[in-house]
Amino acid sequence: MVQFQSGVMEKTRFVSNVLLVVLLAGNLYFSVQYIHNLKDSQAPVVDKGAQEVLQIKNANFLKLFINKVVKSSGTVTYEDRVQLENDVRQIHNPELTAQWELFVDNKDPKKAEQAATDLMLILAEGAVK
């Protein structure tokens, strides 16, 4: 076995050991931060821009519904029905779509009126959120 008298090798070994410990500590720290951020990223994120677009769609459909259905003289044209159907589906709200189908499928005027009122309440709540 060869022995060095200058101690350079021992100093180098000490520095490399200290560097190894610092690097391991940094690796551990960044691993914990990564896991923490990964858990945070799985939380639902509400996009303000998408929320505003949804509110605008709700308000526009409510306005269209009032103009084409509520203010109509009892008959709604086929083109208006198609436009209303497409617009309500564009909102992608299952509760709204179910209420729309309930309104469209009603044959009893009283129940249809109640379904229209409920539909407008859902739209108004969606436009205000």
Side-chain angles (χ1 to χ4, degrees), residues 34-47:
Y34 175 76
I35 291 170
H36 179 69
N37 289 337
L38 189 62
K39 287 179 184 177
D40 287 347
S41 69
Q42 291 175 351
V45 176
V46 177
D47 185 12

Side-chain angles (χ1 to χ4, degrees), residues 32-64:
V32 169
Q33 290 299 318
Y34 175 76
I35 291 170
H36 179 69
N37 289 337
L38 189 62
K39 287 179 184 177
D40 287 347
S41 69
Q42 291 175 351
V45 176
V46 177
D47 185 12
K48 293 292 183 183
Q51 186 70 20
E52 289 174 4
V53 168
L54 188 59
Q55 289 174 339
I56 291 169
K57 283 183 179 181
N58 275 316
N60 287 340
F61 182 76
L62 180 59
K63 182 179 177 182
L64 182 68

Side-chain angles (χ1 to χ4, degrees), residues 1-128:
M1 186 144 103
V2 178
Q3 289 214 343
F4 295 101
Q5 295 187 5
S6 66
V8 173
M9 193 64 162
E10 290 179 17
K11 289 179 185 176
T12 305
R13 182 176 288 164
F14 175 74
V15 170
S16 65
N17 285 341
V18 168
L19 183 61
L20 180 66
V21 169
V22 168
L23 290 174
L24 284 174
N27 195 11
L28 181 62
Y29 172 76
F30 287 120
S31 296
V32 169
Q33 290 299 318
Y34 175 76
I35 291 170
H36 179 69
N37 289 337
L38 189 62
K39 287 179 184 177
D40 287 347
S41 69
Q42 291 175 351
V45 176
V46 177
D47 185 12
K48 293 292 183 183
Q51 186 70 20
E52 289 174 4
V53 168
L54 188 59
Q55 289 174 339
I56 291 169
K57 283 183 179 181
N58 275 316
N60 287 340
F61 182 76
L62 180 59
K63 182 179 177 182
L64 182 68
F65 183 78
I66 290 171
N67 287 334
K68 300 291 182 180
V69 177
V70 176
K71 289 185 175 180
S72 72
S73 60
T75 58
V76 179
T77 65
Y78 178 75
E79 292 82 21
D80 291 340
R81 286 184 188 183
V82 170
Q83 183 182 9
L84 288 164
E85 182 79 27
N86 288 336
D87 287 354
V88 79
R89 301 242 183 244
Q90 291 275 326
I91 297 174
H92 301 294
N93 181 343
E95 180 185 9
L96 180 63
T97 304
Q99 188 62 40
W100 170 258
E101 290 172 358
L102 185 66
F103 168 71
V104 171
D105 293 339
N106 262 315
K107 303 297 180 205
D108 182 28
K110 292 275 187 192
K111 289 182 181 179
E113 185 178 321
Q114 182 61 41
T117 304
D118 293 341
L119 181 68
M120 288 186 287
L121 283 172
I122 293 170
L123 286 165
E125 288 173 0
V128 174

